[in-house]
Amino acid sequence: PLMPAGVHPVRRLRYSHFGCNVVHEDIALGPKVDAHEAKFAIKHVVEDVGGRLPAEHGHGTEYVAPEASRQRWMAMDPTNCLNPGVGGLPYCAHYIDGEAQ
């Protein structure tokens, strides 16, 4: 997708996995760019055209996962010991009585 207004990459690197429809893009930003702000601006542009970030490797701790994903992870890891804090789930053991935050 096009870059959001005000985000001017120094370099864009694209690569993919052979045989599966996954494309990665690394974006190098200049030293005066707020990388956190740029990341979320890019995320919104991708979502506006129907994409999802991150689509392949999970949601990490910066993005809230879809509710279906959160419920699936809670069922698979009831003690919250495998990936605490991922996808908007809490960091504490047992998800505070089974509830995601």
Side-chain angles (χ1 to χ4, degrees):
L2 297 173
M3 288 288 113
V7 177
H8 305 287
V10 174
R11 171 165 268 184
R12 294 173 75 165
L13 306 163
R14 293 184 185 110
Y15 48 96
S16 63
H17 299 278
F18 180 75
C20 70
N21 298 311
V22 176
V23 176
H24 297 274
E25 182 166 16
D26 290 340
I27 299 170
L29 302 169
K32 295 183 179 182
V33 175
D34 181 332
H36 184 76
E37 183 179 309
K39 182 192 301 190
F40 279 89
I42 292 166
K43 178 181 184 293
H44 293 303
V45 168
V46 169
E47 290 171 345
D48 287 347
V49 296
R52 290 190 315 189
L53 279 180
E56 181 190 7
H57 293 291
H59 289 269
T61 57
E62 292 186 333
Y63 306 115
V64 175
E67 185 60 27
S69 297
R70 293 161 42 117
Q71 293 299 320
R72 183 176 62 250
W73 297 335
M74 290 172 69
M76 291 171 35
D77 180 20
T79 62
N80 197 23
C81 64
L82 298 176
N83 290 296
V86 170
L89 292 172
Y91 287 90
C92 59
H94 304 281
Y95 305 99
I96 308 176
D97 298 326
E99 295 295 323
Q101 294 181 357

